[in-house]
C-alpha cells in the first residue's frame, strides 16, 4: 500500500485502504502549551494566599494543584478521541476514533473544488457543492492537510482537483497556483524518472537553531527564576519573631507564583527542543517541535518541496522559515519537517550539496544573509563604484553620487555566505555603507589595488590570511617528512590550494574578551550579597554577639560571589589555534578539548552577527558549510583574526565549492 501521510512515512499495514491516500498531520504528543505556566502560576499564587497559616500546607497544596493541572492536560491529550481527515479513493472522509463519520465522494466528472486564496474545500453534491472545511497551506491548522500534497494526491487518485477564484479574490490567482503546482509535479516526475542519485562522498552536517549554548542560557534564566522563588519560600518558612502575617502571606503567594511559572517554563523548554537537522548522503534525520521526528533514507527520497512560512516576530521583524515535504519515487508524501530557526537558504544549500533534489518555484541566492538595504546604485542602476583622488562614489551616465575623501575613515573587505562585501566607515567609525561587491559592480582585487594605490586605508584580512597560509605552505616540510596524521587533503574542487601550516607551529591561545568576563564578577557579587543578606537577616536571632546582618552578611556574600566568579573565570574555555587545527579547550586552553577540528577539514574561521544580531564564532568546511557554531564563548574578532594569521588558518567564510583565495565577486 502507498502512504502519503503528512507527518511521517508510514504504511497501512492492515490493508484497509487500496491505492494512494493522505491523512492530516498528527498533533504534537507533548503537552506543553504556552499558556499553561502562567495559568498554573496564578492558581498556585491564589491558593498560597488563601490556604491555612501552616507553612507546610501553604507550600504543598499550590504545588499539588499546579502538578494536577499539568497531569489533567496530559491525560486529556492522550485519551480524547482524535479527529482525522483522510483523502483516498473512497473520497474525502472525516474519521473520529478510527471510524468514518462523514464521507464526501468525488469522481473525475465531479471533482473536489478548492478556493485558491481562502483554501476553502467544497465537495460536489446533486444540487451543486457544499463546504467541507478549510485547508492550510502548511498543514498546521484547520483540516491540517497541506495544499500541494492534497492537489497531488487527487491527481494520483484520477480525480483532478479544480481550483477556482473565490468571491473577492483577484482574478487569475487560481490559474497561477495551478501552473505552479504543475511545475512542481513535473519536476517530481522528472526526479522519479531519473531515479535515486548516487551517494556523494561527503560527511554529515548538523544544523540547529538555537544552538545548545543559546538554549542553555534560556534554561539558566528559568533556573534563576526557580531559585528566586525558592529563596522567597525560604523567607516565609524560616521562623521569624517579628513577622507580620499579612506580609508573609503575600510573600508566599508571590514566591509560589514565580516558582510555578518558572518550573512550567523550564519543563516547556525541556520538552519542546528546537529543530535539529542532520543531513548526510545516506539520509535525513529531523527533530522539530511541530511534526516530531522524521528519519528518511536517501534512497527513498525522490524530491523535496519547500514552502515558505513568514511570520512576524515580537520586535516587528519578519521571520522566514520552511515547511519541507519529502516525496518518494511513487509521488507519495513520505514525510514533513519544519526548518525552525535554521536559515532557509542555508538548509537548502546543505541538502543540495549532499545530493538531494530540492524543487523550488524560483532559485534563491546562496547568500542567505544578503540584505543590503538602501544602496546608492538603486538610484543609479547603471552606476559603478569608483575611487578617485578626492572622493569615492557611484559614477553613471545619468549622474553621480560622491562622498568626499575627508569623510572616509576606512574600507573593510570581508566575505559573507560566499560573497565579498564592502563596509565603508566614516572618520568617527560610523558605518556609511555595507553592501556586496556584486551590487557595486567592482571586483575585490581591483577595489583593493585601487584603494592602496590612492592611499585609502583599506583592510582585507581574509586575503592577508590566505597569503599568510600560502607563504607558510612554502616553508612547510615535504609530505614525506611531515607527520602522516596532518598531511594536507586535496582541494575538493578546482582552485588554488591552501596548504596547511606546519604541525610544529606554536599554538596560539585566544581567551574570552574582558568585556564579557567582568559581568560574571558583578553577577556573582550581587547574587552572593542577596543570598547571604537574606539568610543573615532571617537567622540573626541565633547570634548573641549583637552583630547586625549588614555587618557580616554583605561582605561575606560579596567575597563568596567574587570567589565563585574567579573559579569560573579560571576554568572558562579558550580557543587554541595551531598547525593541527582549532579546538575549544577548558581551563583557559590547557584542559580537555570540548570540540576540535583538524586542519584539512577547515575552510575558514570567522565571527558573524547576522543571526539575531548575536556575535557567533563560525567554523566552515572547505566547501563553505558550517561545521561549528559557537555563540556562548566568542572571542574578540580582531584577536581571532590575528591568531588565524599567525597559525595559518584561513580567516572568513570560503567560497562555496572552492578552497582558495577569497571570492572576487
Amino acid at each position: 500500500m502507498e502512504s502519503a501521510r503528512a507527518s511521517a512515512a508510514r504504511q497501512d499495514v492492515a490493508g484497509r485502504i487500496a491505492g494512494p491516500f493522505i491523512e492530516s498531520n498528527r498533533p504534537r504528543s507533548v503537552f506543553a502549551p504556552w499558556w499553561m505556566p502562567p495559568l498554573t502560576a496564578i492558581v498556585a499564587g491564589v491558593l498560597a494566599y488563601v490556604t491555612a497559616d501552616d507553612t507546610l500546607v501553604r507550600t504543598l497544596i499550590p504545588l499539588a494543584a499546579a502538578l494536577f493541572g499539568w497531569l489533567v492536560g496530559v491525560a486529556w491529550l492522550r485519551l480524547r478521541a482524535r479527529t482525522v481527515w483522510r483523502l483516498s479513493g473512497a473520497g474525502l472522509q472525516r474519521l473520529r476514533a478510527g471510524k468514518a463519520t462523514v464521507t464526501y465522494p468525488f469522481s473525475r466528472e465531479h471533482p473536489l473544488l478548492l478556493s485558491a486564496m481562502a483554501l476553502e474545500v467544497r465537495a460536489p453534491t446533486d444540487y451543486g457543492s457544499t463546504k467541507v472545511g478549510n485547508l492550510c497551506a502548511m498543514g498546521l491548522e484547520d483540516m491540517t492537510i497541506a495544499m500541494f500534497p492534497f492537489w497531488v494526491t487527487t491527481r494520483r487518485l484520477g480525480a483532478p482537483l479544480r481550483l477556482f477564484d473565490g468571491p473577492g479574490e483577484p482574478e487569475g490567482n487560481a490559474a497561477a497556483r495551478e501552473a505552479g503546482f504543475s511545475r512542481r509535479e513535473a519536476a517530481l516526475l522528472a526526479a522519479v524518472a531519473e531515479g535515486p542519485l548516487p551517494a556523494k562522498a561527503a560527511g554529515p552536517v548538523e544544523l540547529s537553531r538555537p544552538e545548545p549554548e543559546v538554549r542553555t542560557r534560556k534554561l539558566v534564566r528559568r533556573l534563576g527564576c526557580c531559585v528566586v522563588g525558592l529563596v522567597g519560600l525560604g523567607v516565609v518558612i524560616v521562623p521569624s519573631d517579628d513577622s507580620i502575617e499579612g506580609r508573609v502571606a503575600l510573600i508566599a503567594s508571590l514566591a509560589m507564583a514565580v516558582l510555578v511559572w518558572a518550573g512550567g517554563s523550564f519543563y516547556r523548554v525541556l520538552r519542546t527542543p528546537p529543530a535539529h537537522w542532520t543531513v548526510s548522503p545516506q539520509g535525513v534525520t529531523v527533530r522539530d517541535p511541530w511534526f516530531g521526528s522524521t528519519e528518511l533514507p536517501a534512497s527513498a527520497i525522490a524530491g523535496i518541496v519547500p514552502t515558505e512560512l513568514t511570520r512576524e516576530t515580537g520586535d516587528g521583524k519578519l521571520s522566514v522559515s520552511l515547511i519541507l515535504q519529502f516525496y518518494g519515487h511513487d509521488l507519495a508524501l513520505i514525510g514533513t519537517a519544519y526548518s525552525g530557526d535554521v536559515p532557509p537558504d542555508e538548509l537548502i544549500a546543505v541538502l543540495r550539496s549532499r545530493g538531494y533534489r530540492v524543487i523550488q518555484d524560483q532559485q534563491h541566492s546562496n547568500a542567505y544573509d544578503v540584505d543590503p538595504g538602501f544602496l546608492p546604485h538603486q538610484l543609479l542602476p547603471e552606476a559603478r563604484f569608483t575611487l578617485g583622488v578626492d572622493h569615492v562614489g557611484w559614477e553613471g551616465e545619468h549622474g553621480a553620487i560622491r562622498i568626499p575623501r575627508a569623510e572616509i575613515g576606512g574600507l573593510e573587505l570581508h566575505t559573507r555566505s560566499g560573497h565579498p562585501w564592502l563596509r565603508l566607515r566614516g572618520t568617527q567609525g560610523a558605518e556609511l555603507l555595507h553592501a556586496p561587491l556584486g551590487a557595486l559592480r567592482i571586483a575585490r582585487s581591483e577595489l583593493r589595488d585601487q584603494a592602496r594605490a590612492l592611499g585609502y586605508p583599506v583592510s582585507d584580512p581574509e586575503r592577508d590570511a590566505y597569503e599568510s597560509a600560502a607563504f607558510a605552505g612554502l616553508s612547510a616540510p615535504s609530505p614525506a617528512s611531515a607527520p602522516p596524521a596532518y598531511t594536507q587533503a586535496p582541494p575538493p574542487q578546482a582552485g588554488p590550494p591552501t596548504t596547511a601550516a606546519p604541525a610544529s607551529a606554536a599554538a596560539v591561545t585566544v581567551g574570552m574578551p574582558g568585556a564579557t568576563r567582568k559581568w560574571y564578577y558583578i553577577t556573582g557579587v550581587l547574587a552572593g550579597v542577596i543570598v547571604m543578606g537574606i539568610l543573615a537577616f532571617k537567622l540573626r536571632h541565633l547570634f548573641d554577639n549583637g552583630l547586625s546582618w549588614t555587618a557580616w552578611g554583605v561582605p561575606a556574600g560579596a567575597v563568596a560571589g567574587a570567589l565563585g566568579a574567579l573559579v569560573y573565570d579560571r576554568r572558562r574555555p579558550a580557543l587554541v589555534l595551531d598547525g593541527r587545527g582549532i579546538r575549544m579547550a577548558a581551563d583557559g586552553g590547557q584542559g580537555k578539548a570540548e570540540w576540535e577540528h583538524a586542519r584539512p577539514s577547515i575552510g575558514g574561521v570567522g565571527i558573524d552577527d547576522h543571526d539575531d544580531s548575536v556575535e557567533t564564532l563560525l567554523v566552515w568546511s572547505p566547501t563553505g558549510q558550517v561545521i561549528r557554531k559557537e555563540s556562548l564563548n566568542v572571542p574578540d574578532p580582531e584577536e581571532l583574526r590575528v591568531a588565524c594569521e599567525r597559525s595559518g588558518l584561513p580567516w572568513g567564510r570560503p567560497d562555496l565549492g572552492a578552497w582558495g583565495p577569497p571570492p572576487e565577486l
Side-chain angles (χ1 to χ4, degrees), residues 563-586:
L563 289 177
L566 178 62
V567 172
Y568 178 82
D569 190 25
R570 290 298 183 93
R571 296 180 58 84
R572 193 173 185 184
L575 277 177
V576 181
L577 299 85
D578 55 19
R580 293 184 173 90
I582 183 173
R583 66 180 184 272
M584 178 75 73

Side-chain angles (χ1 to χ4, degrees), residues 285-550:
T285 302
V286 188
R287 297 193 308 271
D288 67 82
W290 285 9
F291 300 100
S293 298
T294 302
E295 186 172 357
L296 298 172
S299 59
I301 302 175
I304 304 174
V305 178
T307 305
E308 288 190 353
L309 176 64
T310 303
R311 65 184 187 277
E312 186 174 353
T313 59
D315 54 358
K317 298 181 180 179
L318 291 180
S319 174
V320 180
S321 55
L322 294 178
I323 302 293
L324 291 99
Q325 299 158 353
F326 298 84
Y327 289 87
H329 296 279
D330 56 352
L331 293 188
L333 182 64
I334 59 176
T336 306
Y338 173 54
S339 66
D341 294 328
V342 177
D345 285 332
E346 182 179 352
L347 176 59
I348 290 176
V350 170
L351 289 169
R352 283 177 171 159
S353 67
R354 294 308 184 267
Y356 297 96
R357 300 182 183 92
V358 181
I359 300 171
Q360 291 180 277
D361 295 333
Q362 57 183 356
Q363 296 294 330
H364 293 271
S365 170
N366 287 330
Y368 60 89
D369 54 354
V370 173
D371 185 17
F374 171 76
L375 294 175
H377 78 271
Q378 294 175 346
L379 298 178
L380 301 172
E382 79 287 352
R384 186 176 186 270
F385 185 80
T386 59
L387 293 94
V389 178
D390 55 353
H391 69 272
V392 300
W394 292 259
E395 309 286 343
E397 297 179 359
H398 303 289
I401 299 176
R402 296 177 178 177
I403 300 177
R405 180 168 182 170
E407 300 180 6
I408 299 174
L411 293 85
E412 302 174 2
L413 293 169
H414 63 282
T415 303
R416 295 182 67 179
S417 304
H419 298 265
W421 282 58
L422 169 66
R423 180 181 283 113
L424 186 64
R425 294 191 182 276
T427 54
Q428 303 297 327
E431 186 178 286
L432 303 179
L433 172 70
H434 191 207
L437 296 186
L440 303 179
R441 300 181 180 180
I442 187 170
R444 188 176 197 149
S445 298
E446 181 183 359
L447 174 60
R448 184 176 57 253
D449 295 341
Q450 289 184 9
R452 289 175 177 173
L454 295 174
Y456 285 93
V458 58
S459 63
D460 192 353
E462 297 168 10
R463 181 70 189 188
D464 297 340
Y466 167 72
E467 294 176 352
S468 175
F471 179 77
L474 295 176
S475 60
S478 61
S481 60
Y486 302 105
T487 55
Q488 178 194 358
Q493 296 185 10
T498 302
T499 307
S504 59
V508 181
T509 302
V510 182
M512 300 302 110
T516 60
R517 297 167 57 188
K518 67 180 181 182
W519 289 107
Y520 291 98
Y521 290 92
I522 296 175
T523 304
V525 170
L526 290 178
V529 167
I530 293 174
V531 174
M532 293 297 294
I534 291 176
L535 292 178
F537 177 74
K538 297 303 296 181
L539 302 177
R540 67 187 185 281
H541 62 278
L542 299 179
F543 299 92
D544 299 330
N545 52 9
L547 290 177
S548 65
W549 67 277
T550 56

Side-chain angles (χ1 to χ4, degrees), residues 22-323:
I22 186 174
E23 284 188 357
S24 56
N25 298 310
R26 293 177 296 177
R28 290 170 56 184
S29 58
V30 177
F31 180 75
W34 65 268
W35 47 264
M36 198 64 176
L39 180 62
T40 53
I42 294 174
V43 173
V46 172
L47 289 177
Y49 188 81
V50 301
T51 47
D53 297 336
D54 185 77
T55 55
L56 184 61
V57 175
R58 179 179 290 165
T59 304
L60 294 181
I61 289 182
L63 291 177
L67 181 61
F68 178 75
W70 283 91
L71 293 178
V72 168
V74 173
W76 174 80
L77 181 66
R78 293 180 178 274
L79 298 178
R80 72 184 179 95
R82 177 189 168 215
T83 300
V84 177
W85 287 90
R86 175 186 293 168
L87 178 65
S88 63
L92 180 60
Q93 298 177 319
R94 183 172 61 187
L95 295 85
R96 186 172 179 84
K99 297 181 180 179
T101 57
V102 181
T103 301
Y104 300 95
F106 58 90
S107 62
R108 180 180 295 274
E109 295 77 15
H110 301 284
L112 293 173
L113 303 176
L114 176 61
S115 172
M117 183 173 290
L119 304 184
E120 179 183 300
V121 181
R122 303 189 68 87
T125 60
D126 295 337
Y127 54 86
S129 62
T130 181
K131 180 179 178 181
V132 177
N134 285 15
L135 290 180
C136 178
M138 303 305 151
L140 298 175
E141 56 189 24
D142 297 333
M143 291 176 65
T144 63
I145 301 179
M147 187 176 182
F148 178 64
F150 190 81
W151 186 84
V152 170
T153 305
T154 56
R155 301 266 292 180
R156 297 176 64 209
L157 291 171
L161 181 67
R162 182 178 300 170
L163 275 67
F164 68 95
D165 297 323
E169 298 181 3
E171 186 177 357
N173 189 25
R177 280 183 179 262
E178 190 162 6
F181 289 168
S182 299
R183 288 192 297 268
R184 292 186 189 179
E185 185 185 28
L188 282 175
L189 289 173
V192 171
E194 293 176 4
L197 292 174
K200 292 192 174 183
V205 177
E206 294 188 4
L207 300 172
S208 179
R209 304 291 194 284
E211 289 297 310
E213 297 84 3
V214 179
R215 189 162 179 256
T216 301
R217 261 183 273 175
K218 292 182 178 180
L219 292 175
V220 169
R221 292 195 200 106
R222 286 160 175 80
L223 185 60
C225 293
C226 290
V227 172
V228 172
L230 290 174
V231 171
L233 287 179
V235 172
V236 179
I237 294 175
V238 175
S240 182
D241 53 355
D242 57 352
S243 60
I244 302 175
E245 183 59 31
R247 186 179 300 173
V248 170
L250 180 61
I251 294 176
S253 176
L254 294 177
M256 184 59 65
V258 171
L259 182 63
V260 172
W261 196 328
S265 301
F266 195 85
Y267 172 78
R268 288 191 71 244
V269 174
L270 291 177
R271 298 297 293 170
T272 55
H276 183 88
W277 286 72
T278 302
V279 182
S280 68
Q282 291 74 34
V284 178
T285 302
V286 188
R287 297 193 308 271
D288 67 82
W290 285 9
F291 300 100
S293 298
T294 302
E295 186 172 357
L296 298 172
S299 59
I301 302 175
I304 304 174
V305 178
T307 305
E308 288 190 353
L309 176 64
T310 303
R311 65 184 187 277
E312 186 174 353
T313 59
D315 54 358
K317 298 181 180 179
L318 291 180
S319 174
V320 180
S321 55
L322 294 178
I323 302 293

